[in-house]
Amino acid sequence: MIVRDATPDDLPAIVAIYNAAIPGRAATADLEPVTVESRRAWFAEHDPKRRPLWVAEVDGEVVAWIGLSSFYGGRPAYDATAEVSMYVAPNFQAKGLGRELMRQMIAACPHLGITTLLGMYFDHNEASRKLCDSLGFEQVGHLARIANLDGAIRGLIIAALRIEERS
Ligand SMILES: CC(C)(COP(=O)(O)OP(=O)(O)OC[C@H]1O[C@@H](n2cnc3c(N)ncnc32)[C@H](O)[C@@H]1OP(=O)(O)O)[C@@H](O)C(=O)NCCC(=O)NCCS
């Protein structure tokens, strides 16, 4: 697996991997596929030195991505806090790829000036729960019954990893 900064040319693959997760109703609150065009501004918000967006390639194919985004609209007092998002293509899930990508991102946090990493996932997303728990994230919040996924009312877990406490 090769992990590298994403380029604009990767956006169609990034969007395709994201869209593949929408029908499962466990990963994201988007209910319809998103377009490449609609994600350009989101892509541009990333910065390799502070809020990276990485892709993982296997045999030349982009099969996963992981990115950091600023917390709470990027208000300056939260500069050292970032939310992590990660999506692995269906055929490559449950093979340890997500864990490896998250490990690499956690290792990069001190260089990115990040002391708190936040994971936010639906309370029925077992893969995200297992992954975050096993990497030392602590559940700090549970917004119960906050999302309506085709009539199924789900909650959101907020999990935090304190980077300075690990180093
Ligand atoms: C969640 C996700 C990023 C995890 O990455 P992954 O490469 O599939 O996961 P890994 O193989 O590294 O395994 C991590 C843990 O998740 C578990 N897991 C993986 N897929 C699972 C599934 N479908 N159901 C339940 N547990 C699962 C693994 O058993 C492992 O648990 P362990 O620590 O107890 O061994 C990936 O499955 C994915 O992209 N899912 C769809 C999108 C999504 O939910 N993104 C997160 C949005 S918050």
Side-chain angles (χ1 to χ4, degrees):
M1 175 170 86
I2 293 171
V3 181
R4 58 169 176 80
D5 286 313
T7 72
D9 287 346
D10 295 316
L11 196 50
I14 289 169
V15 166
I17 291 167
Y18 181 76
N19 282 340
I22 294 175
R25 298 291 190 255
T28 168
D30 268 317
L31 300 174
E32 299 293 335
V34 302
T35 62
V36 170
E37 215 43 53
S38 74
R39 299 301 275 178
R40 288 203 194 279
W42 165 84
F43 182 92
E45 282 166 11
H46 291 89
D47 166 4
K49 292 198 167 62
R50 291 186 64 249
R51 302 289 187 257
L53 177 63
W54 295 344
V55 291
E57 274 182 19
V58 172
D59 296 333
E61 182 192 353
V62 171
V63 299
W65 60 266
I66 184 168
L68 300 187
S69 52
S70 294
F71 174 63
Y72 216 153
R75 289 168 172 80
Y78 293 122
D79 255 5
T81 298
E83 184 184 341
V84 59
S85 303
M86 180 164 66
Y87 286 77
V88 177
N91 289 346
F92 290 83
Q93 290 175 11
K95 297 178 192 291
L97 210 142
R99 183 188 309 280
E100 178 53 28
L101 268 181
M102 190 71 94
R103 273 208 189 112
Q104 293 192 25
M105 189 58 88
I106 291 167
C109 278
H111 314 290
L112 301 167
I114 290 165
T115 56
T116 302
L117 207 50
L118 294 179
M120 301 199 194
Y121 52 86
F122 285 132
D123 52 14
H124 64 298
N125 188 334
E126 280 307 312
S128 289
R129 181 194 302 276
K130 284 182 189 170
L131 183 63
C132 285
D133 285 356
S134 68
L135 289 171
F137 282 75
E138 179 195 352
Q139 184 177 317
V140 293
H142 182 197
L143 299 169
R145 300 177 55 76
I146 195 181
N148 184 337
L149 296 166
D150 299 329
I153 309 301
R154 307 294 196 179
L156 182 75
I157 302 290
I158 303 171
L161 182 70
R162 311 290 182 176
I163 305 293
E164 70 259 278
E165 287 166 16
R166 296 166 55 88
S167 49

